[in-house]
Amino acid sequence: MTLLSNLTVKLGKNSYKIIIYNNFPLKLKNNFTKIKEYSKIIVITDKTINNIFDDKIHKFCNELKCEKIILPSGEKTKSFKYLEYLMNKILSKKVDRNALLICIGGGVIGDLVGLAASLTLRGIDFIQIPTTLLSQVDSSVGGKTAINSIYGKNLIGTFYQPKIVIISLYFLRKLPKREIISGYAEILKYALIKNKIFFSWLENNGKKILKLNSNACADAIKESCRIKSLIVSKDEKEKNLREILNFGHTFGHALESITGFSNKLNHGESVFLGMYIAIKFSIFMGFCKKSILHDYTNHLDKLNISYKINDYNISASPNLFLKHLKFDKKIKEKKIRFILISDIGKVKVYKLNEEKILLDFLKKEVF
Ligand code: GLY
């Protein structure tokens, strides 16, 4: 098991490590010695991951003498129905407060298991082993847990930090290319909001990441997690700073919502579109130079990644787009807050006072 890197999310007594490996993390004991102290360990995964990594997960469970719960795959599990199902399964195993949940899966299962861990007996420990690039650089770090509601996605949840995050590049080798690209959206986001040097580095290494070169992937994941950890350490509960992680997400989320969160547009793709619109809006508002848009589009063109609404065959109008934007949960004081950009690596929070400004922009520059 080759250890590529490790870093710490600093949150006082809730601090934890993020460890990056090349191989499947079979020897968890070496990096998380506390594992010996748990009264019971339950691995929770989904059907797809369990089928693909059957042998390894089997060995992993044998090694730790743990039990396993397998959930169906897909967004539908982020619901009250499956939260209840999962928690009943956990409780049926007669857990006490000293039990540990280990989640092996993507963002959907990670969010659900995190929530179940925070609720079981008022909170038991859990570990994240994210299996998609997207969850490795985003949802597994920072302690947001969630299920969806009829009023929107991720509206029910808690802030509950894992005890350790184990990232393994091994999982990425079985991930469809479209999913790798989706994860790359979040990596690029970190560069755009916080680190110009990282952006330049991505200009030179983006192709290698998409081809899953181990060193390039480990470096990109480490830098992404470092930036996210830094932000989460300063603002765990998203009172202010953490909202900058939503760069590209407000616009992107509205587009995902227009497509009914269908396969037409996945999360990362919506973030590429959302960041494109956010940069254009930043230029429209006079916050940043036009050359930033060129840097962005040039980078994505070289990687063959689409960032225009037309490329995704989405039919929408400025008014429909605005309607979906307003449903976004990030609206504070009834005004839409946008994370815009003033330079690569620098963001600016903009509170929209007049809807007309946005509508003019959408009519002129987007639709
Ligand atoms: N995905 C954004 C956050 O964790 O705050």
Side-chain angles (χ1 to χ4, degrees):
M1 189 159 78
T2 330
L3 176 70
L4 296 172
S5 209
N6 82 61
L7 62 145
T8 303
V9 185
K10 291 189 185 124
L11 284 166
K13 64 177 176 41
N14 290 330
S15 298
Y16 55 94
K17 280 202 166 136
I18 303 169
I19 301 199
I20 307 173
Y21 292 117
N22 206 0
N23 319 79
F24 191 94
L26 278 176
K27 301 259 182 278
L28 193 56
K29 280 178 190 158
N30 300 350
N31 286 293
F32 189 62
T33 44
K34 197 185 166 208
I35 203 134
K36 297 190 269 307
E37 294 164 22
Y38 290 100
S39 56
K40 190 175 280 280
I41 304 174
I42 304 173
V43 164
I44 301 162
T45 187
D46 71 21
K47 219 170 157 202
T48 310
I49 294 297
N50 191 56
N51 285 345
I52 301 176
F53 303 105
D54 186 24
D55 284 0
K56 297 280 187 203
I57 294 180
H58 190 72
K59 269 194 195 145
F60 180 88
C61 288
N62 275 351
E63 178 97 12
L64 296 173
K65 298 190 179 48
C66 48
E67 301 188 34
K68 185 166 74 173
I69 298 173
I70 303 170
L71 294 167
S73 310
E75 189 76 25
K76 65 177 180 298
T77 47
K78 271 179 75 166
S79 60
F80 272 120
K81 181 178 151 194
Y82 281 102
L83 178 67
E84 184 183 9
Y85 172 84
L86 174 60
M87 293 198 60
N88 281 334
K89 280 268 176 204
I90 296 167
L91 294 171
S92 74
K93 295 185 187 297
K94 303 199 171 24
V95 289
D96 62 18
R97 284 222 173 96
N98 198 28
L100 171 76
L101 304 182
I102 301 180
C103 171
I104 307 180
V108 167
I109 197 130
D111 284 3
L112 175 71
V113 173
L115 182 57
S118 74
L119 297 173
T120 303
L121 306 176
R122 299 194 178 83
I124 58 172
D125 286 359
F126 85 112
I127 291 177
Q128 289 275 23
I129 305 187
T131 54
T132 61
L133 185 58
L134 188 67
S135 57
Q136 293 182 346
V137 295
D138 187 12
S139 59
S140 66
V141 174
K144 276 188 180 176
T145 80
I147 54 171
N148 301 326
S149 124
I150 50 165
Y151 293 99
K153 285 182 77 165
N154 296 330
L155 294 185
I156 297 155
T158 52
F159 287 101
Y160 194 70
Q161 303 294 338
K163 289 292 156 200
I164 189 167
V165 178
I166 308 280
I167 294 175
S168 166
L169 305 184
Y170 181 86
F171 295 110
L172 303 184
R173 303 194 178 107
K174 298 275 180 190
L175 205 62
K177 183 79 191 266
R178 191 176 174 197
E179 292 302 318
I180 299 288
I181 293 174
S182 181
Y184 189 76
E186 296 288 349
I187 293 175
L188 184 58
K189 176 197 79 178
Y190 291 114
L192 290 167
I193 62 170
K194 219 60 193 144
N195 190 343
K196 202 170 188 163
I197 296 169
F198 186 36
F199 182 80
S200 307
W201 184 85
L202 288 177
E203 288 186 308
N204 294 322
N205 292 278
K207 268 203 180 111
K208 284 192 208 159
I209 296 168
L210 298 185
K211 284 191 177 147
L212 298 182
N213 170 287
S214 296
N215 289 335
C217 283
D219 287 347
I221 293 170
K222 184 179 179 194
E223 182 55 15
S224 301
C225 290
R226 190 192 67 83
I227 293 173
K228 179 151 188 188
S229 307
L230 217 73
I231 293 169
V232 169
S233 298
K234 288 188 183 150
D235 177 26
E236 185 188 2
K237 305 264 165 86
E238 199 167 324
K239 297 230 164 32
N240 39 58
L241 180 70
R242 188 166 177 166
E243 72 177 335
I244 72 170
L245 293 172
N246 295 326
F247 177 64
H249 286 59
T250 308
F251 289 121
H253 195 263
L255 291 169
E256 270 184 294
S257 161
I258 287 171
T259 57
F261 295 93
S262 69
N263 199 30
K264 220 177 192 180
L265 188 67
N266 70 25
H267 180 69
E269 290 162 348
S270 83
V271 172
F272 284 123
L273 288 168
M275 294 195 291
Y276 176 65
I277 302 172
I279 296 171
K280 279 189 140 195
F281 195 35
S282 308
I283 295 169
F284 183 84
M285 295 304 297
F287 298 151
C288 86
K289 294 180 291 189
K290 276 191 180 146
S291 62
I292 308 286
L293 186 66
H294 180 258
D295 292 340
Y296 180 72
T297 57
N298 208 25
H299 179 61
L300 293 186
D301 287 338
K302 277 193 190 144
L303 298 176
N304 263 324
I305 295 175
S306 307
Y307 49 84
K308 289 193 177 146
I309 293 182
N310 288 344
D311 296 334
Y312 291 96
N313 202 13
I314 299 166
S315 52
S317 63
N319 282 310
L320 181 71
F321 190 63
L322 188 66
K323 190 178 134 201
H324 283 266
L325 271 176
K326 284 180 167 172
F327 274 123
D328 196 279
K329 72 179 152 77
K330 290 156 204 100
I331 297 177
K332 278 187 188 165
E333 305 146 31
K334 294 205 171 74
K335 284 180 182 155
I336 312 177
R337 286 164 75 86
F338 291 101
I339 311 302
L340 299 183
I341 192 168
S342 57
D343 195 357
I344 292 180
K346 286 206 179 90
V347 290
K348 181 176 170 65
V349 180
Y350 172 69
K351 199 160 62 179
L352 186 75
N353 286 313
E354 260 185 84
E355 249 173 57
K356 191 181 168 308
I357 298 174
L358 181 64
L359 263 178
D360 283 350
F361 161 71
L362 293 175
K363 281 179 192 157
K364 255 177 101 174
E365 301 284 343
V366 182
F367 294 97

